[in-house]
Amino acid sequence: MTREKIKSAFSAEEIAQRVGELARQIRSDAGSAEVFLLGILKGTSCFLADLIRSIPGDVSYGFIDVVRDM
């Protein structure tokens, strides 16, 4: 069994910087209003957690699951 190494497209620092930029933009757009973030399950939970922690003020969140009918 051969293990292939996955090459990172972005460093952890670059991702953290971009998440911070998004958080500042969201807060700027929302003003002092509560922010509600909605994440699509199976893939967004880690990103959403980082984003929630980066947005100052009141932030709430929810998740939805998308099921593809075959």
Side-chain angles (χ1 to χ4, degrees), residues 27 30-36 57-61:
R27 178 47 65 203
S32 61
E34 180 179 2
V35 173
F36 181 79
D58 292 333
V59 179
S60 58
Y61 65 95

Side-chain angles (χ1 to χ4, degrees), residues 17-40:
Q17 180 179 355
R18 184 62 181 134
V19 168
E21 292 168 0
L22 288 170
R24 286 187 292 280
Q25 183 64 53
I26 289 168
R27 178 47 65 203
S28 175
D29 290 348
S32 61
E34 180 179 2
V35 173
F36 181 79
L37 301 174
L38 184 63
I40 299 172

Side-chain angles (χ1 to χ4, degrees), residues 30-70:
S32 61
E34 180 179 2
V35 173
F36 181 79
L37 301 174
L38 184 63
I40 299 172
L41 280 175
K42 297 207 178 175
T44 190
S45 57
C46 292
F47 167 73
L48 201 63
D50 287 345
L51 186 58
I52 290 166
R53 284 190 293 264
S54 298
I55 299 173
D58 292 333
V59 179
S60 58
Y61 65 95
F63 289 100
I64 61 171
D65 192 8
V66 177
V67 177
R68 194 173 98 189
D69 189 18
M70 297 188 135

